[in-house]
Amino acid sequence: MHQLTIAELVKGLRNKDFSSTELTRHYLDRIARLDPVYNSFITPTPELALQQAAEADRRLAAGNAPLLCGVPIAHKDIFCTDGIRTSCASKMLDNFIAPYNATIVENYLADGVITLGKTNMDEFAMGSSNETSFYGPVKNPWATDCVPGGSSGGSAAAVAAHLAPAATASDTGGSIRQPAALCGLTGIKPTYGRVSRWGMIAFASSLDQAGLLTRTAEDAALLLNTMASYDAKDSTCIERDVPDYTATLNNSLKGLKIGVPREYFGEGLNADTAARVQDAIKVYESLGASIHEVSLPHTHLAVPAYYVIAPAECSANLSRFDGVRYGYRCENPTDLADLYKRSRTEAFGDEVKRRILVGSYALSAGYYDAYYSKAQKVRRLIRQDFVDAFKQVDVILGPTSPSPAFAFGSKTKDPVAMYLEDIYTIATNLAGLPGLSIPCGLVDNKPVGLQLIGNDFAEGLLLNAAHQFQQATNFHQLTAPGIE
Ligand code: GLN
């Protein structure tokens, strides 16, 4: 059963090949048996999952169940889940039981989707390797001495190890697409505002976006249909109809104009990764697309601008964790200042502290103009690069990350080396655009990803282009060695 895609599970449930209870039990058994190796879950939710599955089986038997009813998925532990610990992989929230559901979780529950549990991640989604989690690192199923990518590393490893058929994730600068690339999965970050952020613990509010990690583009389309909705509780959520993303998957790519940015193939890109991306370009040509060189001239400024804006927003967002209202509180504080100081000192990890310090500095009166306002101006220029490029082409194509999965510890001593992991993904968040990663081959027996970037609300086109690639290739069907 765990070999099946979501599309196949939907059919199997309807044909009564298996019940949701059988399917859910099967996945829960795999999690209990195999996850001690990967550490991809922080909190599995077996009892809840089986209750939900029993209810889904009743709805399926009644005959009018929603399409995804009875399908199990996992949720990144950044999404609030009513009555379940929602830790954001931080000691700060280790004891936090969310009192409500994130809107996207609510959307899935309404459709009868089963919650297998909450997945591991970098602390507060800050990282590219899942090494900053309070609950320990996640291992990449393709090579257990290597990272799965981050920050949605738990969601990615769970799907790659077939411990869940799909998982929710979030992407502030690449946290869906880079783990998708490193674990051989399909990962989509929708347009900013397409999916509600309500109940998703905020890191950098102007960049954060919820999305999905799946095995195929078709599965991502099926799941995005439920995830995307207008939500009045998120003031940045856009009121716009959600198309049926599965309806356009089979559109022909004849005449599609694909732009390849010259800045994405420069120094720092692993030569074998570049070769796999070049091969993918040939596949698109054979499908009838035309390839055009484009330029995104401010690409080199994306990482520096992000590492001012994201820490600035995080320093404001994380000020709510003060030891007073919820989360960790230090023992025996002597006064209020001591309570704040020790609660935050004891419960935040090093990377989170580094970001809060950088962000507070960039926002301080003396440096605001020099750093924060400057970064916002650069952000505008980065967005303009894409606006100009999309006058010439429909989709932009390039690598997702500069190299395949790297060994644990190899970048933790050098934050800048770690930050460069997201060199091709970060600009998309700064511009608010949708981006997607699909597997395009192996390098040293580890997967590498192909990134497709679309114009505002072009999720349907991206999924169509990804699906057509997956009809013509089998990279998405490769399974990590040892995963039966
Ligand atoms: N790796 C980037 C960071 O550390 C992006 C993380 C994310 O997208 N959540 O901030």
Side-chain angles (χ1 to χ4, degrees), residues 10-22:
V10 164
K11 285 200 194 93
L13 286 165
R14 292 237 157 9
N15 289 344
K16 303 205 173 23
D17 297 339
F18 41 79
S19 67
S20 174
T21 303
E22 284 165 338

Side-chain angles (χ1 to χ4, degrees), residues 259-314:
V260 179
R262 76 174 76 97
E263 292 80 4
Y264 283 21
F265 291 83
E267 209 192 320
L269 177 62
N270 164 290
D272 293 327
T273 304
R276 296 297 100 81
V277 175
Q278 294 298 347
D279 292 345
I281 290 176
K282 296 199 190 88
V283 173
Y284 275 110
E285 279 177 319
S286 74
L287 292 169
S290 58
I291 307 298
H292 308 264
E293 190 182 78
V294 293
S295 177
L296 301 170
H298 297 94
T299 296
H300 63 292
L301 297 176
V303 170
Y306 173 91
Y307 278 99
V308 173
I309 294 169
E313 293 187 20
C314 111

Side-chain angles (χ1 to χ4, degrees), residues 380-413:
R380 183 69 181 77
L381 294 173
I382 288 168
R383 162 111 189 142
Q384 193 60 42
D385 284 354
F386 284 106
V387 169
D388 293 341
F390 284 122
K391 286 182 189 145
Q392 305 158 50
V393 296
D394 306 307
V395 169
I396 289 172
L397 176 155
T400 305
S401 74
S403 51
F406 48 93
F408 286 106
S410 61
K411 298 194 185 192
T412 37
K413 296 276 168 320

Side-chain angles (χ1 to χ4, degrees), residues 71-335:
V71 170
I73 65 170
H75 290 300
K76 184 175 181 179
D77 208 18
I78 198 168
F79 296 107
C80 285
T81 39
D82 193 2
I84 302 166
R85 172 169 63 175
T86 299
S87 74
C88 233
S90 180
K91 180 176 177 183
M92 184 59 88
L93 291 176
D94 180 49
N95 63 2
F96 177 62
I97 310 288
Y100 61 89
N101 284 318
T103 296
I104 65 128
V105 171
E106 203 58 57
N107 289 353
Y108 284 120
L109 291 179
D111 274 4
V113 174
I114 315 302
T115 305
L116 289 171
K118 307 294 295 289
T119 57
N120 206 343
M121 53 184 281
D122 279 296
E123 184 180 6
F124 285 104
M126 297 173 196
S128 300
S129 66
N130 220 117
E131 292 171 288
T132 71
S133 169
F134 174 60
Y135 302 94
V138 174
K139 291 187 179 153
N140 188 321
W142 286 85
T144 48
D145 57 340
C146 289
V147 305
S151 64
S152 310
S155 289
V159 179
H162 295 188
L163 306 183
T168 58
S170 69
D171 191 311
T172 303
S175 278
I176 293 176
R177 291 161 286 159
Q178 183 255 12
L182 272 44
C183 291
L185 301 174
T186 301
I188 182 164
K189 175 205 103 65
T191 310
Y192 185 77
R194 173 74 290 182
V195 171
S196 171
R197 289 184 299 110
W198 198 75
M200 177 167 91
I201 295 173
F203 161 14
S205 309
S206 77
L207 301 158
D208 298 343
Q209 188 59 205
L212 292 154
L213 283 158
T214 59
R215 303 236 290 275
T216 67
E218 184 183 22
D219 284 0
L222 279 163
L223 287 167
L224 189 59
N225 280 349
T226 295
M227 180 181 257
S229 65
Y230 170 64
D231 181 9
K233 291 191 288 233
D234 169 5
S235 59
T236 60
C237 197
I238 290 171
E239 198 163 358
R240 182 182 171 115
D241 288 343
V242 180
D244 175 359
Y245 294 111
T246 64
T248 42
L249 289 174
N250 289 315
N251 286 1
S252 159
L253 299 188
K254 268 206 181 64
L256 183 78
K257 291 195 199 126
I258 297 181
V260 179
R262 76 174 76 97
E263 292 80 4
Y264 283 21
F265 291 83
E267 209 192 320
L269 177 62
N270 164 290
D272 293 327
T273 304
R276 296 297 100 81
V277 175
Q278 294 298 347
D279 292 345
I281 290 176
K282 296 199 190 88
V283 173
Y284 275 110
E285 279 177 319
S286 74
L287 292 169
S290 58
I291 307 298
H292 308 264
E293 190 182 78
V294 293
S295 177
L296 301 170
H298 297 94
T299 296
H300 63 292
L301 297 176
V303 170
Y306 173 91
Y307 278 99
V308 173
I309 294 169
E313 293 187 20
C314 111
S315 73
N317 274 324
L318 271 58
S319 66
R320 62 172 63 95
F321 304 109
D322 55 7
V324 176
R325 286 165 287 194
Y326 52 88
Y328 180 82
R329 176 179 295 173
C330 68
E331 302 270 345
N332 306 320
T334 51
D335 57 21

Side-chain angles (χ1 to χ4, degrees), residues 253 276 279-281 283-284 287 438-441 450 452 463-476:
L253 299 188
R276 296 297 100 81
D279 292 345
I281 290 176
V283 173
Y284 275 110
L287 292 169
I438 46 175
C440 66
L450 174 77
L452 299 174
L463 290 163
N464 166 216
H467 181 67
Q468 291 306 307
F469 185 81
Q470 293 180 341
Q471 297 302 103
T473 60
N474 70 349
F475 304 119
H476 62 293

